[in-house]
Amino acid sequence: MPSRGDVHYFGAGPAPLPTSVLESASKALLNYKDKGIGLCEISHRSAEANEILARTRACLSTLLDVPDNYEILFLQSGGSGEFSAVVFNIVANWVERRRKVAETELAVSGTAGEQLEKNVFARLKKEVDEELKLDYLVTGSWSLKASQEAARLVGAKHINVALDARRSNDGKFGKIPDESEWTLTPTVAGRGPALVYYCDNETVDGVEFPHFPSCLESPSGSEDDGPLVVADMSSNFISRRVDVRKFGVIFGGAQKNVGNTGITIAVVRKSLLPPASNMASTSLLRQLGLPVAPVVLDWPTIAKNNSLYNTLPIFDVWIAGQVMEGLVQSYGVKKISGQQEVSDRKAKLIYGVLDKYSQVYTVVPHETVRSRMNICFRVGGGAAEKENAFLDGAEKRGLLGLKGHRSVGGIRASNYNAVSTEGAEKLARYLEDFAQGQ
């Protein structure tokens, strides 16, 4: 029976965790801080739970230099739950901002009371019907699912797929066309799309944005001068530097680079979190034919309750905090740039061998958008016997979790933070040996 040290796991998620964190967790599960009870047993309302939340937030803020005008939320329902939460919360915020403008401008004419309310509603209804647009950049399976969920919630007429990368790659994902080909909703007189959404790293398809899209930059650097950008960073979270100020919302499931399955982390600009009493009312949204968020996905409610509106799995938050605290201690003033150097080095090592033996291996995505986190390739042109032989040989060497996603097949080596440099080197040696044996 192999020991943990004999195995290197490259699964796409749940992903490996640092052994040191798991060793600490085994103790905390039995007796947390010598209290005689385990970490899974403490109340989420306890002082200990609040300390864990505060410490985890502090570590993430340190790593990513999260500005003070952002809130860090811990939620449940995974990244897929945030596909819905993004729509609920951003649309409600859009309606409320438009309502305030309409009320202010229409009141100038002297209209008041019930007639003002009717006029405001009529204007809002027209603006929702004609102007509400949510822009999606579809570059892989997850952004596609997010766009489909948005269409399900608010109706397809409100969704603008500004980019479908399959159209420039023979019906398959694997490229990101030039920004000049994107069809973003125009911004006229300061009014543009309610949001622009993209998935920074597509886990299934091995596609990663090399940098923040230039066309989404705010001309002045102000949050009021440019589109509200939402990014799903589930599979490259805390693996490279991110300028948080460029985004309205960043979210990600924890089970890739941050922790174990159970929590989702969202970094939300506070201007998107007004008190619930100032948000578009439930009745107004319904009258406008728009969806109302379940309370457990309502960001203002979660923020107001310190992420503890319902029973949060504190053990999962603690795991994430331990992982991030380890990065803070390891990289010091480099912060997340230190981890980025390691991630880039591991990816370069593996891609280098794949490119060296291009007669045996075919990297799936275009070179300009290759993911550092999910390295997708085919063996022997995708022949089943070749790929099965590759996977069998890898398993014998303790290299596990390399089978591609069921929807696309092939091989996928997920190069998350907890995959050691030693593991990447061992995979590279196997790639060499297998290729030479063909």
Side-chain angles (χ1 to χ4, degrees), residues 67-202:
D68 291 339
N69 64 322
Y70 284 77
E71 187 79 43
I72 296 172
L73 306 177
F74 298 98
L75 309 105
Q76 296 170 71
S77 77
S80 296
E82 291 308 292
F83 296 170
S84 307
V86 163
V87 177
F88 290 133
N89 287 279
I90 299 300
V91 168
N93 189 276
W94 184 91
V95 168
E96 175 61 16
R97 285 186 287 111
R98 290 296 185 98
R99 187 196 65 77
K100 285 182 177 179
V101 171
E103 189 174 67
T104 299
E105 293 180 354
L106 292 173
V108 171
S109 64
T111 308
E114 186 176 336
Q115 187 58 47
L116 176 60
E117 288 183 12
K118 289 181 178 179
N119 291 351
V120 168
F121 178 80
R123 175 165 151 174
L124 269 179
K125 186 72 169 68
K126 186 173 188 296
E127 290 181 354
V128 167
D129 290 342
E130 298 178 2
E131 298 181 36
L132 176 61
K133 290 292 182 183
L134 285 67
D135 285 9
Y136 280 77
L137 307 180
V138 176
T139 56
S141 300
W142 292 112
S143 51
L144 176 61
K145 288 186 177 183
S147 70
Q148 292 169 337
E149 174 65 358
R152 188 183 73 85
L153 292 174
V154 297
K157 75 172 186 176
H158 295 300
I159 307 306
N160 172 38
V161 177
L163 160 65
D164 186 336
R166 295 172 295 183
R167 294 173 185 162
S168 62
N169 195 41
D170 299 323
K172 296 181 180 180
F173 293 119
K175 291 184 179 179
I176 299 179
D178 187 81
E179 292 179 18
S180 62
E181 300 180 36
W182 303 0
T183 56
L184 296 166
T185 298
T187 298
V188 180
R191 293 188 169 194
L195 62 83
V196 180
Y197 180 109
Y198 71 95
C199 180
D200 205 33
N201 183 78
E202 290 282 2

Side-chain angles (χ1 to χ4, degrees), residues 219-232:
S220 66
S222 167
E223 65 180 74
D224 298 320
D225 184 20
L228 193 160
V229 181
V230 176
D232 175 359

Side-chain angles (χ1 to χ4, degrees), residues 31-57:
N31 190 353
Y32 181 64
K33 288 192 171 182
D34 295 324
K35 293 184 177 297
I37 62 171
L39 185 51
C40 283
E41 300 165 302
I42 67 170
S43 168
H44 63 298
R45 306 290 185 192
S46 66
E48 290 82 8
N50 278 277
E51 179 188 11
I52 289 168
L53 281 165
R55 193 164 186 172
T56 304
R57 283 195 181 98

Side-chain angles (χ1 to χ4, degrees), residues 254-275:
Q255 67 273 14
K256 312 289 187 177
N257 278 318
V258 185
N260 57 298
T261 306
I263 58 166
T264 307
I265 300 172
V267 183
V268 182
R269 190 181 291 148
K270 288 181 179 178
S271 61
L272 299 173
L273 298 171

Side-chain angles (χ1 to χ4, degrees), residues 260-371:
N260 57 298
T261 306
I263 58 166
T264 307
I265 300 172
V267 183
V268 182
R269 190 181 291 148
K270 288 181 179 178
S271 61
L272 299 173
L273 298 171
S277 60
N278 291 336
M279 289 288 285
S281 69
T282 296
S283 60
L284 175 58
L285 289 170
R286 285 179 175 157
Q287 289 175 59
L288 292 168
L290 295 171
V292 177
V295 69
V296 293
L297 295 181
D298 183 66
W299 293 336
T301 299
I302 302 301
K304 179 181 177 182
N305 288 276
N306 189 31
S307 295
L308 297 171
Y309 175 79
N310 59 331
T311 306
L312 188 69
I314 293 299
F315 174 75
D316 300 335
V317 179
W318 181 86
I319 289 284
Q322 292 292 299
V323 170
M324 290 190 280
E325 188 170 344
L327 295 178
V328 170
Q329 293 175 353
S330 295
Y331 300 118
V333 295
K334 282 188 173 183
K335 301 179 181 178
I336 207 61
S337 295
Q339 180 60 52
Q340 180 172 349
E341 291 172 6
V342 175
S343 298
D344 291 353
R345 187 163 60 247
K346 291 187 296 175
K348 185 177 180 180
L349 175 66
I350 296 168
Y351 279 122
V353 182
L354 294 174
D355 289 337
K356 180 180 176 181
Y357 295 99
S358 57
Q359 76 280 10
V360 177
Y361 305 117
T362 305
V363 178
V364 174
H366 190 269
E367 187 175 1
T368 56
V369 294
R370 288 178 176 178
S371 169

